mmCIF file of all heavy atoms in Angstrom:
data_model
loop_
_atom_site.group_PDB
_atom_site.id
_atom_site.type_symbol
_atom_site.label_atom_id
_atom_site.label_comp_id
_atom_site.label_asym_id
_atom_site.label_seq_id
_atom_site.Cartn_x
_atom_site.Cartn_y
_atom_site.Cartn_z
ATOM 1 N N GLY B 1 71.923 115.688 167.933
ATOM 2 C CA GLY B 1 72.441 115.559 166.573
ATOM 3 C C GLY B 1 73.082 116.850 166.096
ATOM 4 O O GLY B 1 74.085 116.823 165.368
ATOM 5 N N VAL B 2 72.530 117.976 166.501
ATOM 6 C CA VAL B 2 73.140 119.265 166.169
ATOM 7 C C VAL B 2 74.522 119.369 166.796
ATOM 8 O O VAL B 2 75.481 119.826 166.164
ATOM 9 C CB VAL B 2 72.245 120.433 166.644
ATOM 10 C CG1 VAL B 2 72.944 121.769 166.429
ATOM 11 C CG2 VAL B 2 70.913 120.410 165.919
ATOM 12 N N VAL B 3 74.654 118.920 168.053
ATOM 13 C CA VAL B 3 75.960 118.917 168.717
ATOM 14 C C VAL B 3 76.958 118.071 167.937
ATOM 15 O O VAL B 3 78.123 118.458 167.759
ATOM 16 C CB VAL B 3 75.823 118.410 170.167
ATOM 17 C CG1 VAL B 3 77.182 118.068 170.761
ATOM 18 C CG2 VAL B 3 75.139 119.464 171.034
ATOM 19 N N SER B 4 76.513 116.910 167.452
ATOM 20 C CA SER B 4 77.403 116.054 166.654
ATOM 21 C C SER B 4 77.909 116.788 165.418
ATOM 22 O O SER B 4 79.102 116.749 165.093
ATOM 23 C CB SER B 4 76.664 114.785 166.221
ATOM 24 O OG SER B 4 76.364 113.971 167.312
ATOM 25 N N ARG B 5 77.004 117.461 164.718
ATOM 26 C CA ARG B 5 77.386 118.186 163.504
ATOM 27 C C ARG B 5 78.312 119.350 163.832
ATOM 28 O O ARG B 5 79.313 119.567 163.144
ATOM 29 C CB ARG B 5 76.113 118.679 162.805
ATOM 30 C CG ARG B 5 76.338 119.659 161.654
ATOM 31 C CD ARG B 5 77.294 119.124 160.621
ATOM 32 N NE ARG B 5 76.844 117.861 160.067
ATOM 33 C CZ ARG B 5 77.618 117.064 159.350
ATOM 34 N NH1 ARG B 5 78.892 117.395 159.141
ATOM 35 N NH2 ARG B 5 77.165 115.931 158.866
ATOM 36 N N ILE B 6 78.003 120.104 164.892
ATOM 37 C CA ILE B 6 78.862 121.215 165.300
ATOM 38 C C ILE B 6 80.264 120.707 165.603
ATOM 39 O O ILE B 6 81.265 121.299 165.177
ATOM 40 C CB ILE B 6 78.273 121.934 166.531
ATOM 41 C CG1 ILE B 6 77.023 122.720 166.132
ATOM 42 C CG2 ILE B 6 79.301 122.860 167.174
ATOM 43 C CD1 ILE B 6 76.258 123.283 167.314
ATOM 44 N N PHE B 7 80.348 119.611 166.345
ATOM 45 C CA PHE B 7 81.647 119.070 166.715
ATOM 46 C C PHE B 7 82.446 118.656 165.485
ATOM 47 O O PHE B 7 83.612 119.036 165.333
ATOM 48 C CB PHE B 7 81.472 117.873 167.653
ATOM 49 C CG PHE B 7 82.763 117.215 168.042
ATOM 50 C CD1 PHE B 7 83.579 117.760 169.011
ATOM 51 C CD2 PHE B 7 83.176 116.046 167.414
ATOM 52 C CE1 PHE B 7 84.782 117.167 169.363
ATOM 53 C CE2 PHE B 7 84.377 115.436 167.758
ATOM 54 C CZ PHE B 7 85.181 116.000 168.727
ATOM 55 N N CYS B 8 81.835 117.876 164.601
ATOM 56 C CA CYS B 8 82.560 117.382 163.420
ATOM 57 C C CYS B 8 83.038 118.529 162.534
ATOM 58 O O CYS B 8 84.197 118.553 162.093
ATOM 59 C CB CYS B 8 81.674 116.434 162.615
ATOM 60 S SG CYS B 8 81.444 114.810 163.361
ATOM 61 N N ASP B 9 82.156 119.473 162.268
ATOM 62 C CA ASP B 9 82.525 120.574 161.385
ATOM 63 C C ASP B 9 83.619 121.444 162.008
ATOM 64 O O ASP B 9 84.537 121.906 161.311
ATOM 65 C CB ASP B 9 81.299 121.422 161.063
ATOM 66 C CG ASP B 9 80.323 120.710 160.140
ATOM 67 O OD1 ASP B 9 80.690 119.659 159.586
ATOM 68 O OD2 ASP B 9 79.193 121.200 159.977
ATOM 69 N N SER B 10 83.540 121.673 163.310
ATOM 70 C CA SER B 10 84.564 122.468 163.986
ATOM 71 C C SER B 10 85.907 121.748 163.983
ATOM 72 O O SER B 10 86.952 122.373 163.771
ATOM 73 C CB SER B 10 84.130 122.774 165.425
ATOM 74 O OG SER B 10 85.127 123.514 166.102
ATOM 75 N N VAL B 11 85.890 120.439 164.198
ATOM 76 C CA VAL B 11 87.125 119.655 164.173
ATOM 77 C C VAL B 11 87.819 119.788 162.822
ATOM 78 O O VAL B 11 89.032 120.032 162.752
ATOM 79 C CB VAL B 11 86.825 118.176 164.492
ATOM 80 C CG1 VAL B 11 87.962 117.275 164.005
ATOM 81 C CG2 VAL B 11 86.625 117.976 165.990
ATOM 82 N N ILE B 12 87.071 119.625 161.738
ATOM 83 C CA ILE B 12 87.670 119.705 160.409
ATOM 84 C C ILE B 12 88.259 121.094 160.171
ATOM 85 O O ILE B 12 89.390 121.244 159.679
ATOM 86 C CB ILE B 12 86.628 119.361 159.330
ATOM 87 C CG1 ILE B 12 86.166 117.913 159.476
ATOM 88 C CG2 ILE B 12 87.212 119.592 157.936
ATOM 89 C CD1 ILE B 12 87.254 116.870 159.383
ATOM 90 N N LYS B 13 87.517 122.123 160.520
ATOM 91 C CA LYS B 13 88.000 123.492 160.358
ATOM 92 C C LYS B 13 89.284 123.721 161.160
ATOM 93 O O LYS B 13 90.272 124.268 160.645
ATOM 94 C CB LYS B 13 86.926 124.480 160.807
ATOM 95 C CG LYS B 13 87.323 125.953 160.735
ATOM 96 C CD LYS B 13 86.150 126.828 161.127
ATOM 97 C CE LYS B 13 86.521 128.309 161.079
ATOM 98 N NZ LYS B 13 87.508 128.664 162.131
ATOM 99 N N ASN B 14 89.298 123.269 162.415
ATOM 100 C CA ASN B 14 90.470 123.459 163.268
ATOM 101 C C ASN B 14 91.664 122.640 162.796
ATOM 102 O O ASN B 14 92.813 123.103 162.847
ATOM 103 C CB ASN B 14 90.142 123.091 164.719
ATOM 104 C CG ASN B 14 89.142 124.037 165.355
ATOM 105 O OD1 ASN B 14 88.923 125.133 164.849
ATOM 106 N ND2 ASN B 14 88.526 123.606 166.446
ATOM 107 N N LEU B 15 91.410 121.414 162.311
ATOM 108 C CA LEU B 15 92.499 120.583 161.799
ATOM 109 C C LEU B 15 93.118 121.209 160.552
ATOM 110 O O LEU B 15 94.342 121.191 160.376
ATOM 111 C CB LEU B 15 91.999 119.177 161.471
ATOM 112 C CG LEU B 15 91.784 118.226 162.649
ATOM 113 C CD1 LEU B 15 91.125 116.944 162.179
ATOM 114 C CD2 LEU B 15 93.112 117.904 163.347
ATOM 115 N N GLU B 16 92.279 121.737 159.699
ATOM 116 C CA GLU B 16 92.802 122.383 158.488
ATOM 117 C C GLU B 16 93.674 123.584 158.852
ATOM 118 O O GLU B 16 94.729 123.804 158.246
ATOM 119 C CB GLU B 16 91.642 122.811 157.596
ATOM 120 C CG GLU B 16 90.927 121.643 156.935
ATOM 121 C CD GLU B 16 89.703 122.072 156.159
ATOM 122 O OE1 GLU B 16 89.164 123.165 156.433
ATOM 123 O OE2 GLU B 16 89.274 121.301 155.273
ATOM 124 N N GLU B 17 93.259 124.346 159.852
ATOM 125 C CA GLU B 17 94.024 125.526 160.255
ATOM 126 C C GLU B 17 95.355 125.156 160.900
ATOM 127 O O GLU B 17 96.349 125.872 160.754
ATOM 128 C CB GLU B 17 93.195 126.368 161.222
ATOM 129 C CG GLU B 17 91.997 127.047 160.567
ATOM 130 C CD GLU B 17 91.125 127.769 161.568
ATOM 131 O OE1 GLU B 17 91.382 127.640 162.794
ATOM 132 O OE2 GLU B 17 90.195 128.478 161.143
ATOM 133 N N LYS B 18 95.403 124.039 161.626
ATOM 134 C CA LYS B 18 96.608 123.653 162.361
ATOM 135 C C LYS B 18 97.438 122.610 161.623
ATOM 136 O O LYS B 18 98.457 122.139 162.140
ATOM 137 C CB LYS B 18 96.208 123.086 163.739
ATOM 138 C CG LYS B 18 95.548 124.113 164.650
ATOM 139 C CD LYS B 18 95.163 123.484 165.987
ATOM 140 C CE LYS B 18 94.485 124.493 166.899
ATOM 141 N NZ LYS B 18 95.389 125.579 167.292
ATOM 142 N N TYR B 19 97.017 122.248 160.403
ATOM 143 C CA TYR B 19 97.603 121.087 159.735
ATOM 144 C C TYR B 19 99.105 121.224 159.500
ATOM 145 O O TYR B 19 99.856 120.260 159.695
ATOM 146 C CB TYR B 19 96.887 120.850 158.404
ATOM 147 C CG TYR B 19 97.342 119.583 157.715
ATOM 148 C CD1 TYR B 19 96.869 118.347 158.124
ATOM 149 C CD2 TYR B 19 98.248 119.634 156.660
ATOM 150 C CE1 TYR B 19 97.290 117.178 157.499
ATOM 151 C CE2 TYR B 19 98.675 118.480 156.027
ATOM 152 C CZ TYR B 19 98.191 117.255 156.456
ATOM 153 O OH TYR B 19 98.616 116.116 155.836
ATOM 154 N N GLU B 20 99.571 122.368 159.086
ATOM 155 C CA GLU B 20 100.985 122.526 158.731
ATOM 156 C C GLU B 20 101.908 122.287 159.915
ATOM 157 O O GLU B 20 103.052 121.863 159.745
ATOM 158 C CB GLU B 20 101.223 123.918 158.140
ATOM 159 C CG GLU B 20 100.580 124.130 156.787
ATOM 160 C CD GLU B 20 100.999 123.066 155.779
ATOM 161 O OE1 GLU B 20 102.208 122.727 155.738
ATOM 162 O OE2 GLU B 20 100.124 122.565 155.049
ATOM 163 N N GLU B 21 101.454 122.558 161.118
ATOM 164 C CA GLU B 21 102.277 122.354 162.316
ATOM 165 C C GLU B 21 101.603 121.365 163.265
ATOM 166 O O GLU B 21 101.633 121.526 164.484
ATOM 167 C CB GLU B 21 102.527 123.689 163.020
ATOM 168 C CG GLU B 21 103.294 124.689 162.154
ATOM 169 C CD GLU B 21 103.506 126.018 162.850
ATOM 170 O OE1 GLU B 21 102.936 126.219 163.941
ATOM 171 O OE2 GLU B 21 104.252 126.851 162.308
ATOM 172 N N LEU B 22 101.013 120.327 162.700
ATOM 173 C CA LEU B 22 100.230 119.382 163.480
ATOM 174 C C LEU B 22 101.101 118.621 164.482
ATOM 175 O O LEU B 22 102.212 118.207 164.173
ATOM 176 C CB LEU B 22 99.540 118.391 162.546
ATOM 177 C CG LEU B 22 98.357 117.615 163.129
ATOM 178 C CD1 LEU B 22 97.261 118.552 163.597
ATOM 179 C CD2 LEU B 22 97.819 116.641 162.103
ATOM 180 N N SER B 23 100.584 118.457 165.691
ATOM 181 C CA SER B 23 101.266 117.740 166.764
ATOM 182 C C SER B 23 100.208 117.163 167.695
ATOM 183 O O SER B 23 99.014 117.472 167.566
ATOM 184 C CB SER B 23 102.170 118.685 167.555
ATOM 185 O OG SER B 23 101.392 119.662 168.232
ATOM 186 N N LEU B 24 100.638 116.331 168.646
ATOM 187 C CA LEU B 24 99.688 115.788 169.604
ATOM 188 C C LEU B 24 99.046 116.895 170.426
ATOM 189 O O LEU B 24 97.846 116.854 170.720
ATOM 190 C CB LEU B 24 100.378 114.771 170.522
ATOM 191 C CG LEU B 24 100.723 113.420 169.883
ATOM 192 C CD1 LEU B 24 101.370 112.508 170.903
ATOM 193 C CD2 LEU B 24 99.471 112.753 169.315
ATOM 194 N N GLU B 25 99.831 117.878 170.812
ATOM 195 C CA GLU B 25 99.262 118.991 171.566
ATOM 196 C C GLU B 25 98.276 119.773 170.695
ATOM 197 O O GLU B 25 97.256 120.268 171.174
ATOM 198 C CB GLU B 25 100.363 119.916 172.078
ATOM 199 C CG GLU B 25 99.888 120.918 173.117
ATOM 200 C CD GLU B 25 99.218 120.271 174.313
ATOM 201 O OE1 GLU B 25 99.662 119.185 174.741
ATOM 202 O OE2 GLU B 25 98.235 120.842 174.833
ATOM 203 N N GLY B 26 98.592 119.857 169.402
ATOM 204 C CA GLY B 26 97.666 120.508 168.479
ATOM 205 C C GLY B 26 96.352 119.757 168.370
ATOM 206 O O GLY B 26 95.286 120.368 168.248
#
């Protein structure tokens, strides 16, 4: 369950950082 939380929170953080230039490779 900790892994699930780490994954979700990291995804959101990374998506927010890459959002302006979002692409499939991103």
Side-chain angles (χ1 to χ4, degrees):
V2 174
V3 166
S4 293
R5 170 54 58 194
I6 289 171
F7 178 79
C8 286
D9 289 349
S10 178
V11 160
I12 296 301
K13 178 177 179 292
N14 293 343
L15 283 173
E16 289 175 339
E17 291 175 354
K18 295 179 181 295
Y19 186 79
E20 292 305 317
E21 298 179 352
L22 198 59
S23 65
L24 287 181
E25 193 56 37

